[in-house]
Amino acid sequence: MGSTVRGPWLHASLPGPPALKEGSAGPGPESRFASYELGAPFDEMFDAAGDVRPHCRSLLDELLSSSATDLRGRQTEADKAFLAQGITFTVYGDDQGAERIFPFDLLPRIITGAEWATLDRGLTQRLTAINLFLKDIYHEGRILSEGVVPRSLVYSCKHYRREMRGVSVHRDIYVSVAGTDLVRLENGRFVVLEDNLRVPSGVSYMLANREVTKRVFPGLFNRYNVTPVAHYGQELMATLRALAPLSRAEPTFVVLTPGVGNSAYFEHAFLAREMGVPLVEGRDLLVHDNIVYMRTTSGLRRVDVIYRRVDDDFIDPLAFRADSILGVPGLMNAYRAGNVALSNAIGTGVADDKALYAYIPAIIRFYLSEEPILANVETYLLERPSDRAYVLEHLESLVVKAVGESGGYGMLIGPHSTAKEREAFRDRIVADPRNFIAQPTLSLSRAACLIDDQIEPRHVDLRPYVLFGDKVRIVPGGLTRVALRKGSLVVNSSQGGGSKDTWVLRD
Amino acid sequence: MLLSRVADSLYWISRYLERAEHTARVVDVAVDLGLGRGSTRDDGTIDLLYTSLELPISEPGSLAVAAFFDAANANSVLSCITVARENARQAREEISSEMWQQLNGLFLRLKQMRGDASRTPRTHFVSRSVIEGVHLFHGITDATMGHGEGGQYLLAGRYLERAMATARLLDRFMGRAFDGPSPPDQAGLVALLRSCSALEAYCRHYTADVRPERVMEFLLLDANFPRSVRFSASIAESALRSLGRLSGRRAGGDAERLAGRLHASLDYGQVGEILDGEPHLYLTDIGRQCARIHSALYRTYILYSIDTALPA
């Protein structure tokens, strides 16, 4: 992929190779960049000519002046910090109950204040429109009547909830917490890859990564003017406050988790602690006369706002999946009666359906009469015969995704696929075209990572977290996920992905 | 305001930590006794120590390692620490991060030691590190967590477990001392005191003149020694009284009443009287009373039925 540029920038941009520190072992600093390739993808650290981007200058200097041993030591320190905090996941199928940390890359990814300002406006615009859209489709359905979004597309979505028809949602806030996946293309522009509007996770890693990075790179952190992220818990609390029913003078808030077995349990406990509210499981709650209570040592206590990290399907066995033991029987009725607020509302998944995604720019124009600030990725809807014909012709160059899947599953990455895999996907597409979309294979931008003592570029994305309550609140930055396997485009943690800290600079 | 499920977890965190600490200390004493006596079996003190832990008897060397690391045994130290940690995970938003990190670190160190133990079974260092780890956890708790309702569950669990463990150990030794044919062995009594970390405190109280009835008096009825049954009952009682007050559930006085009765019977107990009666029954009854306090605690605060708690 692209031509290999071996370090011309080093000589072009540095007065001379820095002297090795006395006594430092191992290869010199220049050779640490020996396998750094600049290719077609946008590189977050160097421009196309191989010169370091101005805002990455200090980071480069830090890397050049640190020995391999030093960097390795910092990586060990960082990994230990995650282990000590118990930020781990259990490896299934291992009877020793081995726990691993999520791979963490040491080097921060840096975004300028100007770049962030655009993202901030674009995300605000997008989520505002999405909330108007959700209100509309669950009430009068103007956008459907006017034919801007096909009725069949909405009603055939498996995350569309009939139960929400005509239900009034306090302040019309359906999505109060969103995690929007952005990628940066060759031209340096960020585009939206997908919206996560149900129970987006990962924000605790954004916070934990920052804590650890500050500790292992204190000097570097000081040389930059980085906007803080640590107040996310307070911002989330303020957002949830806006959802509380007005009739309740002193509302009670809880975080609802599926339990310790869930891979994001650490995050649920973390957010509950940050906000100072109880972390409850379904079995701690009960509904009586359409009021939700939790079992406390002082007896039953009424619950007013639930930040739920349980999917719609599992949240109430009486309304949705009857086999769910994670939910609260009767919760949906209490919700419909307006006696409890849920964040996010039920039925928001219809707006992050991968086929509906293609209509988000139209949705923004329809409700806000504005042009979208953040572009979408070009998307083929396989339900459309013309799109389908094109996609089936060009499977080897496209990415095909199942609309209801997430976590990097149910995907065909054309250029990395075998003829057999493409055949199998072709059959699945023809059998159920509504269930698939296709997009061109994107060249995700790459950021410098520490890989086996070498600095090498790896593909990254960015998931900022957008809060929508009394107003839109976005903590600058987000979670940068990185595909640590060389050449891989899949950043999901379930598939060999890791993460790194994201610094948004104050310009 | 405390979730019932979280209260349950807090209570078990400290019960399991107490059990781990107790086991680590008893095993340390047993291993030490074994070293002093060459390869021959002693008069049974070592057996008494191990059987008080309810571990299967096998070879002494491997027994100590098993007491620490046997995953199949729910009472092994590693099992106890593992369950304490799982409970801490469940109560993560209630305990401080410092407490969690201490417990998590202890667990990780112990797992690492398990790998080393098969090569060099220097169990004394394992014992020290468990005991210190648990003490540090208590200190961190004291310094970083509110002393409100959650803290009282930690106290109640820790001291109920301790009262039961000391009473059980006393019963194993004293049943033999007072009912059996052979008089108590001096070394056995010292081992008993050391198993409760009580040798120095005993000597300061009675001098180094170690006699069975005095040992009984000290471990059962001393008002100030932190591992005596009486002291443990008094802390458990005060924790339960606080729980009644803090939860606002006056109706839930049963646990408090039972703990108060146990404490009072020890406050007004006298060693001569107990020994003249049936010490074995007296000691096993203490275990039974602790179990009743536990059940009352659960009925009132944790597993109460919904219809008793619905708003009018």
Side-chain angles (χ1 to χ4, degrees):
Chain A
M1 203 190 264
S3 61
T4 305
V5 182
R6 280 176 195 275
W9 43 267
L10 257 184
H11 307 289
S13 53
L14 281 176
L20 278 177
K21 276 188 194 150
E22 214 171 321
S24 72
E30 281 184 54
S31 66
R32 208 168 305 132
F33 281 88
S35 47
Y36 202 104
E37 296 177 6
L38 289 177
F42 183 89
D43 190 283
E44 300 276 341
M45 196 169 188
F46 301 104
D47 65 20
D51 289 318
V52 65
R53 297 182 191 280
H55 64 276
C56 292
R57 171 101 253 168
S58 292
L59 174 60
L60 179 65
D61 290 346
E62 176 89 9
L63 293 177
L64 292 174
S65 65
S66 311
S67 70
T69 328
D70 182 23
L71 288 176
R72 209 180 308 133
R74 291 180 202 217
Q75 181 78 54
T76 311
E77 248 176 70
D79 291 349
K80 266 197 197 148
F82 285 109
L83 195 62
Q85 292 176 68
I87 310 180
T88 54
F89 65 99
T90 308
V91 183
Y92 295 105
D94 182 334
D95 60 349
Q96 299 283 314
E99 293 174 18
R100 306 264 168 78
I101 59 168
F102 286 105
F104 168 72
D105 181 74
L106 198 59
L107 312 182
R109 181 250 192 108
I110 304 174
I111 294 173
T112 65
E115 286 171 332
W116 178 256
T118 309
L119 296 183
D120 185 275
R121 283 189 302 121
L123 293 167
T124 302
Q125 178 196 51
R126 197 169 171 100
L127 195 60
T128 306
I130 284 172
N131 269 316
L132 291 167
F133 169 74
L134 285 165
K135 188 203 171 188
D136 190 21
I137 60 160
Y138 285 120
H139 290 86
E140 65 267 47
R142 225 159 38 85
I143 199 166
L144 307 177
S145 310
E146 296 189 22
V148 177
V149 173
R151 215 174 270 277
S152 64
L153 189 70
V154 170
Y155 294 157
S156 63
C157 173
K158 73 173 179 180
H159 297 297
Y160 175 80
R161 302 292 174 191
R162 266 183 318 119
E163 295 82 350
M164 287 300 289
R165 282 304 298 268
V167 174
S168 76
V169 171
H170 186 43
R171 289 193 184 206
D172 296 327
I173 300 170
Y174 283 78
V175 179
S176 38
V177 183
T180 304
D181 290 344
L182 304 169
V183 297
R184 201 205 277 260
L185 301 181
E186 283 106 325
N187 60 12
R189 292 195 55 174
F190 281 98
V191 296
V192 177
L193 188 58
E194 62 184 55
D195 303 285
N196 295 283
L197 307 173
R198 283 168 277 163
V199 286
S201 64
V203 74
S204 60
Y205 294 96
M206 166 179 98
L207 300 170
N209 287 354
R210 172 62 55 82
E211 281 311 301
V212 168
T213 306
K214 270 161 72 177
R215 243 180 274 167
V216 295
F217 279 124
L220 182 65
F221 189 80
N222 260 339
R223 283 197 290 285
Y224 279 102
N225 192 352
V226 183
T227 51
V229 293
H231 57 295
Y232 179 82
Q234 290 131 47
E235 298 287 88
L236 179 58
M237 193 68 228
T239 301
L240 295 179
R241 270 189 192 292
L243 302 180
L246 295 173
S247 58
R248 302 282 294 160
E250 297 231 0
T252 302
F253 301 83
V254 298
V255 177
L256 175 64
T257 173
V260 280
N262 187 276
S263 59
Y265 180 79
F266 161 76
E267 175 158 309
H268 308 158
F270 179 89
L271 292 174
R273 214 165 53 247
E274 287 278 304
M275 291 192 285
V277 308
L279 177 67
V280 303
E281 296 178 14
R283 56 187 164 132
D284 296 322
L285 300 182
L286 63 102
V287 178
H288 180 80
D289 282 347
N290 282 348
I291 307 276
V292 183
Y293 297 96
M294 60 180 161
R295 295 179 68 105
T296 76
T297 54
S298 314
L300 299 182
R301 169 137 180 196
R302 181 168 174 173
V303 173
D304 301 292
V305 180
I306 302 177
Y307 176 45
R308 50 106 175 198
R309 298 295 295 261
V310 174
D311 285 325
D312 287 0
D313 272 340
F314 296 98
I315 205 157
D316 179 354
L318 297 181
F320 305 109
R321 279 179 59 163
D323 61 343
S324 169
I325 52 166
L326 305 174
V328 186
L331 181 61
M332 190 62 200
N333 277 342
Y335 181 56
R336 265 203 294 238
N339 290 335
V340 68
L342 296 178
S343 164
N344 288 338
I346 303 285
T348 55
V350 63
D352 71 11
D353 179 276
K354 288 189 171 72
L356 198 116
Y357 158 89
Y359 290 92
I360 300 279
I363 287 170
I364 292 173
R365 288 185 200 104
F366 182 79
Y367 293 108
L368 304 178
S369 307
E370 294 171 6
E371 274 306 300
I373 297 165
L374 291 173
N376 258 18
V377 176
E378 188 185 357
T379 300
Y380 304 96
L381 299 180
L382 298 190
E383 216 177 13
R384 290 185 193 145
S386 58
D387 282 14
R388 185 161 68 240
Y390 176 83
V391 169
L392 292 177
E393 285 284 294
H394 297 88
L395 274 183
E396 66 291 342
S397 63
L398 298 171
V399 174
V400 184
K401 297 174 178 173
V403 294
E405 304 272 351
S406 58
Y409 292 105
M411 250 167 90
L412 176 82
I413 301 183
H416 298 181
S417 65
T418 64
K420 212 172 146 194
E421 287 167 345
R422 287 197 293 275
E423 254 343 280
F425 248 82
R426 182 188 304 273
D427 294 344
R428 289 175 60 189
I429 292 168
V430 173
D432 185 8
R434 163 66 177 91
N435 196 34
F436 293 94
I437 56 137
Q439 293 169 338
T441 305
L442 301 177
S443 162
L444 272 57
S445 66
R446 296 193 296 194
C449 296
L450 182 66
I451 312 271
D452 298 333
D453 289 348
Q454 294 286 310
I455 312 291
E456 292 184 16
R458 289 289 184 270
H459 293 292
V460 293
D461 77 351
L462 176 66
R463 176 182 287 184
Y465 296 88
V466 189
L467 300 174
F468 196 105
D470 52 336
K471 58 177 185 175
V472 175
R473 299 159 187 265
I474 313 177
V475 170
L479 182 66
T480 291
R481 297 185 299 174
V482 38
L484 289 169
R485 283 189 211 133
K486 190 166 189 171
S488 169
L489 291 167
V490 186
V491 295
N492 304 79
S493 58
S494 48
Q495 313 227 0
S499 71
K500 49 165 63 213
D501 192 15
T502 311
W503 291 1
V504 172
L505 305 181
R506 279 203 192 91
D507 285 349
Chain B
M1 206 285 305
L2 184 62
L3 281 176
S4 295
R5 177 180 52 82
V6 173
D8 174 45
S9 287
L10 291 170
Y11 173 82
W12 280 108
I13 290 171
S14 60
R15 275 199 71 168
Y16 275 109
L17 286 180
E18 184 64 27
R19 197 172 296 176
E21 184 196 339
H22 177 77
T23 303
R25 189 178 292 105
V26 169
V27 173
D28 194 34
V29 172
V31 168
D32 188 54
L33 276 180
L35 291 176
R37 305 196 176 189
S39 58
T40 54
R41 267 267 156 92
D42 77 319
D43 60 329
T45 304
I46 294 177
D47 282 355
L48 277 180
L49 289 170
Y50 280 122
T51 52
S52 79
L53 299 175
E54 281 152 22
L55 292 161
I57 289 282
S58 64
E59 288 307 300
S62 65
L63 191 56
V65 173
F68 283 117
F69 299 115
D70 186 1
N73 184 338
N75 283 338
S76 76
V77 172
L78 183 55
S79 295
C80 288
I81 300 285
T82 305
V83 183
R85 176 172 174 266
E86 284 312 307
N87 274 292
R89 213 197 271 282
Q90 293 264 1
R92 195 58 192 79
E93 88 284 10
E94 197 64 35
I95 63 175
S96 69
S97 290
E98 290 89 340
M99 289 161 72
W100 162 255
Q101 293 202 20
Q102 168 60 16
L103 182 46
N104 188 42
L106 176 60
F107 167 79
L108 294 172
R109 277 196 300 283
L110 209 56
K111 267 184 60 159
Q112 185 148 25
M113 286 179 194
R114 176 177 59 180
D116 301 340
S118 51
R119 293 193 293 275
T120 49
R122 285 180 298 170
T123 54
H124 176 69
F125 298 101
V126 184
S127 283
R128 290 302 341 146
S129 123
V130 170
I131 292 168
E132 281 171 14
V134 174
H135 286 178
L136 196 47
F137 179 84
H138 293 322
I140 290 170
T141 302
D142 187 62
T144 61
M145 181 176 165
H147 290 216
E149 221 181 336
Q152 301 302 321
Y153 277 96
L154 286 170
L155 277 180
R158 179 173 156 198
Y159 283 94
L160 269 183
E161 176 75 23
R162 186 178 290 180
M164 283 187 272
T166 304
R168 190 169 56 237
L169 202 56
L170 264 177
D171 183 39
R172 295 293 156 116
F173 278 78
M174 290 306 165
R176 195 175 59 141
F178 296 103
D179 299 347
S182 59
D185 165 332
Q186 186 80 8
L189 289 174
V190 170
L192 170 60
L193 286 169
R194 284 176 59 206
S195 296
C196 298
S197 231
L199 183 58
E200 291 175 11
Y202 174 93
C203 291
R204 218 169 295 128
H205 200 286
Y206 299 99
T207 75
D209 183 8
V210 181
R211 298 188 208 161
E213 66 282 3
R214 286 184 176 176
V215 172
M216 178 83 162
E217 180 175 49
F218 191 67
L219 291 182
L220 189 60
L221 300 177
D222 190 84
N224 302 311
F225 181 65
R227 307 195 77 84
S228 82
V229 180
R230 178 177 168 192
F231 183 87
S232 303
S234 88
I235 303 284
E237 187 207 354
S238 83
L240 291 167
R241 194 181 308 123
S242 303
L243 288 182
R245 184 169 47 79
L246 293 167
S247 69
R249 308 196 90 194
R250 278 257 153 256
D254 215 24
E256 193 182 325
R257 179 182 66 80
L258 290 167
R261 189 175 70 183
L262 172 64
H263 180 209
S265 77
L266 291 160
D267 264 357
Y268 295 101
Q270 198 208 25
V271 72
E273 225 171 64
I274 294 167
L275 293 176
D276 286 344
E278 296 192 71
H280 169 66
L281 287 183
Y282 186 89
L283 290 167
T284 47
D285 188 55
I286 287 177
R288 222 171 287 129
Q289 291 190 55
C290 290
R292 261 186 237 123
I293 295 168
H294 167 94
S295 303
L297 176 75
Y298 267 66
R299 264 199 318 277
T300 310
Y301 302 111
I302 295 171
L303 297 172
Y304 56 82
S305 73
I306 302 302
D307 43 346
T308 62
L310 280 174

